[in-house]
Amino acid sequence: MKKTVVFTLGVLAIAGCTQQKADNHEGEVAQETVADTVAAGHFEVRDLNGYKLHIYLTEDQMGDASFIIEGEDSLVTLEQPLFKVNATEFDGYVAKLDKPVAHRIADFHLGNTGAEKIIMPEGMPEVVKGPEYSGMMNHFAEEYGDAIEPLPTGETEEVAFGSTVVLAGVPFTFYKGASNDFPGADILIGKDAVYSHWAPEKSHINSLYAANMAGIDARLAELEQILLTGATVFVGGHGQPANAADVQFRISYLNKIKELRGSQPDATSFTEALVEAYPELPGEDGVKSLAESLYAQN
């Protein structure tokens, strides 16, 4: 790991698309709720090789997801929630696991980590201080006010891309994420699961995922990278859990976008052709904005 730095920053949550759940039968899936609270989101649990992955789908305004990696004796949290109602539910669930939180990772999304130390991929502590990130944080503060968590105040410890760290007895390998995104990591957890900013669920994409053809190529490179890990579960800060077949579908889908961008004369015909190619695929409401963005880059 790299040297420790200290910062006080806004809570990161990249505005994501709300997408429909894809079928996924990899690993044991269990639904869990937290007793004695009003359910804000819900948990799914995957019993994987040497650890459990607790997936918290917040169902918040931005479709965020948070995670708990349960080792034998302790826990690692990943992308803790932004909204207070979700933070309360998440923390209550963590408490019921009755194991200490050994480490907290903030890859793309900072959440309710308070003064606790967090682990970030290399470069992200500086990025979150920049104008683009700060502007996003200011927008969230104006729009949501007291509904979101206060700014984190803890130290950060950076992990270099291409390195593996063992946390709570589980190896975490940090690969550099898509080049069209903030410099966060695709994280291989153990041998079974990969976390990326966007889950590669079986659905349409929108312009937040890729705004131009260079972005499409960047996402294709990322998908090929995570597929080569041999993982069976693919999760993201936005979107539903996916499996390897979903990753392969997403690769085919993005290649179809490249084909249609080369053959269709305008955004309208592109939209019609893409929807026709994938009838009943969830996320159709984002295709128009995607097309407009792709065709604005003439």
Side-chain angles (χ1 to χ4, degrees), residues 19 50 57 87 93 109 117 123 186-187 192 197 230 251 266 271 291:
Q19 301 179 349
L57 300 171
Y93 185 92
H109 298 172
K117 181 179 179 178
D186 295 328
I187 304 175
D192 303 292
H197 189 186
I251 291 171
D266 53 41
T271 299

Side-chain angles (χ1 to χ4, degrees), residues 122-134:
E122 65 174 286
M124 276 303 286
E126 286 301 316
V127 167
V128 296
K129 297 174 184 177
E132 182 180 358
Y133 218 90
S134 297

Side-chain angles (χ1 to χ4, degrees), residues 44-281:
E44 296 181 6
V45 184
R46 306 293 171 92
D47 196 357
L48 301 173
N49 183 26
Y51 68 96
K52 288 184 179 180
L53 177 64
H54 302 257
I55 304 166
Y56 178 49
L57 300 171
T58 67
E59 301 181 22
D60 67 11
Q61 291 92 323
M62 289 174 282
D64 288 348
S66 300
F67 306 90
I68 304 159
I69 296 84
E70 181 182 358
E72 184 176 351
D73 300 314
S74 58
L75 310 172
V76 177
T77 68
L78 170 62
E79 311 291 67
Q80 290 188 202
L82 168 66
F83 286 87
K84 289 181 178 178
V85 64
N86 297 116
T88 297
E89 188 168 55
F90 184 86
D91 289 347
Y93 185 92
V94 168
K96 290 179 183 295
L97 294 177
D98 198 26
K99 294 179 181 180
V101 177
H103 302 279
R104 302 173 195 269
I105 302 173
D107 191 354
F108 291 93
H109 298 172
L110 294 174
N112 67 315
T113 54
E116 298 291 338
K117 181 179 179 178
I118 57 176
I119 295 171
M120 299 186 81
E122 65 174 286
M124 276 303 286
E126 286 301 316
V127 167
V128 296
K129 297 174 184 177
E132 182 180 358
Y133 218 90
S134 297
M136 180 174 62
M137 295 302 97
N138 291 336
H139 171 71
F140 290 153
E142 291 172 0
E143 183 167 359
Y144 301 116
D146 289 341
I148 62 175
E149 284 290 327
L151 310 183
T153 58
E155 298 177 349
T156 65
E157 189 169 7
E158 295 181 62
V159 176
F161 293 123
S163 62
T164 300
V165 293
V166 178
L167 309 173
V170 180
F172 291 72
T173 301
F174 284 60
Y175 298 94
K176 190 171 185 179
S179 61
N180 67 324
D181 215 333
F182 290 115
D186 295 328
I187 304 175
L188 174 63
I189 305 168
K191 298 180 179 180
D192 303 292
V194 171
Y195 169 84
S196 301
H197 189 186
W198 298 80
E201 60 183 338
K202 194 172 184 180
S203 67
H204 284 292
I205 64 168
N206 64 27
S207 58
L208 294 173
Y209 180 80
N212 50 41
M213 296 309 296
I216 296 294
D217 286 336
R219 294 298 181 183
L220 279 167
E222 177 185 43
L223 292 167
E224 294 286 0
Q225 173 177 261
I226 65 175
L227 193 59
L228 285 173
T229 65
T232 57
V233 179
F234 299 85
V235 296
H238 305 290
Q240 303 287 338
N243 57 31
D246 297 324
V247 179
Q248 292 168 334
F249 174 86
R250 177 64 63 86
I251 291 171
S252 297
Y253 172 89
L254 294 182
N255 280 318
K256 185 66 173 181
I257 285 178
K258 293 181 68 173
E259 174 193 326
L260 293 176
R261 180 60 181 84
S263 64
Q264 299 303 312
D266 53 41
T268 299
S269 60
F270 173 93
T271 299
E272 293 172 351
L274 186 59
V275 171
E276 182 178 353
Y278 299 98
E280 300 182 3
L281 189 68

